[in-house]
Amino acid sequence: MNIDMIRAAADRLQGHARRTPILTSPFLDEIAGRQVLVKPECLQHTGSFKFRGGWSAVSALDEVTLKRGIIAYSSGNHAQGVALAAAKHGAPAVIVMPKNAPKLKIANTRALGAEVVLYDRAGGEQREEVGGRIAEERGLTLIRPYDEPQVIAGQGTTGLEIAAQAAEFGVTSGDVLVCCGGGGLSSGIALALEADAPDLRVRPCEPEGFDDVARSLRTGEIQSNPTQSGSLCDAIITPQPGNLTFPIMSRLCGPGLVVTEDEALRAMALAFKRLKIVVEPGGAVALAAALFHGENIEGDAVVAVCTGGNVDAEIFANAITRFD
Amino acid sequence: MNIDMIRAAADRLQGHARRTPILTSPFLDEIAGRQVLVKPECLQHTGSFKFRGGWSAVSALDEVTLKRGIIAYSSGNHAQGVALAAAKHGAPAVIVMPKNAPKLKIANTRALGAEVVLYDRAGGEQREEVGGRIAEERGLTLIRPYDEPQVIAGQGTTGLEIAAQAAEFGVTSGDVLVCCGGGGLSSGIALALEADAPDLRVRPCEPEGFDDVARSLRTGEIQSNPTQSGSLCDAIITPQPGNLTFPIMSRLCGPGLVVTEDEALRAMALAFKRLKIVVEPGGAVALAAALFHGENIEGDAVVAVCTGGNVDAEIFANAITRFD
């Protein structure tokens, strides 16, 4: 993993991924007590940054491999990102999803042209078994959600944009808050900033009770979450940081930040009211940390990445009316 | 009014207004039956395109005039756009607003540094009287919401961006749907397209029952709306097209398009689900026309401008859950 892979991914993403803008609001600056620059990856294709990694990984494959097809395991954003990237490359895609994944995410993944194979997570089926069998039978190439160099490279293109865009605001040092699951985005951005904006530092952000990355960074060893369900922040609930991503985060990131679920929902309501963007709970934890945990942040300005916006209408409606 | 004024406004807006991106979704294309390019001006500063016209008008004033201050009448988006533009120029601003304007909009306008003067619209007070008295006493310069050349020039910068951005998608001919109140944005975009993309044509879009522009274009004479209240699309409910804007629209625009309020709310729900942006009812009529009135539109692709996102949480929550 190095910066050259990220720059090469940026070349491949050119004209395909969106260069999302930076959004600001004087009202958010006042709450945070410093300037807040928001990078809204919810506005990316398929509603999350995952399209970057999906496109990066798919576009790195040769013609023969593409023709055989790709496979991914995901209950949500990675599924849609890979499905769209595969479709645009004319590559068949199989996405293995849990039977109880949100119906909309299953429907979207199918509508984007992928073959969805459901497995019974509750009944004890393992997606690796289900997917491994299909992959072997058909010679499919697996694209992992975060512990995959070309996926990290694709997510890292977000960091190249942040370095350039923050500089336009005169911001060249301080904390860059990133919603963190397995660490693909955090480690990718960290590598990009190391090269292009070495005084900007990634701070991985997580919801309370699922702070495996914060604890891993603190102890210097990979820690796991005791449970993997029961949070509205489903998009960033992973068992533990990745084997590829953790050493990068450990070397380059500042301490993790942890917010409550209610803080994430309040951040969603403020993003609705002040920025006019739709952010899902797991995509709002970095903004929540910027707004409500300023005492743990350094610098006159802070960058917060809103990583995704794939949220059910009811959950969103509840959040914005409850914290109006 | 000419293209040079729009280009000059674009120079003054450079680095101050946001160049909003173009958003797309295969799901919207499928509903519309053609490619849909969305220009999300809800992501503009203060949540609507009105910041462009406000900045253009304020930045065109000389130092002495700025120091005396500016005044505007508005119950909503123009108020906030002018207030922020004035504040950033260090100019005092008085905004005359109806007592029964949404509390949030009054609070926002104050928070952006303007002095808000309330008048009793229901009690028969005329804002021109209230405002005129203050303007004369203090020597303030009035900035009209649409019948004002520098305001039209500012809104027209949206059209320069559309011409360039649509071309990047290979779209150089077809209809550009614009939510239309007094016609400042429609006429500004029309002038910009005449110069930079002459095969793109503006189609003003309005809600049913408030289709003064569509009727004026059809008859060739300025027509009024019978009523000015009772619509969720408050942002674009004006008595009639402007004296400056109507001749421009009459010369350059295609026939107006009219949508129902429910169609506007459905478009809001789809913009939430597919584009992850927050659009207010009056800002969604153009997208509604693109999605649900395709039989009246020409070309393989259509551009729809989502003009604003200043909507109360409850109205938004109702729209997205009702049309989920």
Side-chain angles (χ1 to χ4, degrees), chain A residues 168-201:
Chain A
E168 287 170 20
F169 284 84
V171 175
T172 54
S173 70
D175 286 343
V176 175
L177 313 192
V178 183
C179 308
C180 189
L185 182 63
S186 293
S187 60
I189 294 178
L191 286 168
L193 296 179
E194 182 189 26
D196 282 11
D199 292 332
L200 290 176
R201 179 179 67 157

Side-chain angles (χ1 to χ4, degrees), chain A residues 18 21-27 42-43 45 47 84 104 108 111-112 272-278 309-314 316-317 320-321 324, chain B residues 18 21-27 42-43 45 47 84 104 108 111-112 272-278 309-314 316-317 320-321 324:
Chain A
R18 284 187 191 124
I22 293 285
L23 302 179
T24 58
S25 161
F27 297 100
C42 46
L43 301 179
H45 293 292
L84 181 59
L104 176 69
N108 281 356
L112 293 169
F272 159 80
K273 188 188 270 187
R274 300 307 182 188
L275 302 175
K276 315 303 175 189
I277 56 173
V278 175
N310 290 312
V311 53
D312 286 345
E314 206 177 329
F316 193 77
I320 62 174
T321 50
D324 188 19
Chain B
R18 283 187 193 124
I22 293 284
L23 302 179
T24 59
S25 160
F27 297 100
C42 47
L43 301 179
H45 292 292
L84 182 59
L104 177 69
N108 281 355
L112 292 169
F272 158 80
K273 190 189 269 189
R274 299 307 184 188
L275 302 175
K276 315 304 175 189
I277 56 173
V278 175
N310 290 313
V311 54
D312 287 344
E314 207 176 330
F316 193 79
I320 62 173
T321 50
D324 188 19

Side-chain angles (χ1 to χ4, degrees), chain B residues 206-224:
Chain B
E206 297 167 297
E208 213 173 55
F210 304 88
D211 58 344
D212 52 306
V213 172
R215 285 184 290 107
S216 301
L217 288 172
R218 201 159 52 230
T219 60
E221 282 176 21
I222 288 182
Q223 307 286 327
S224 301

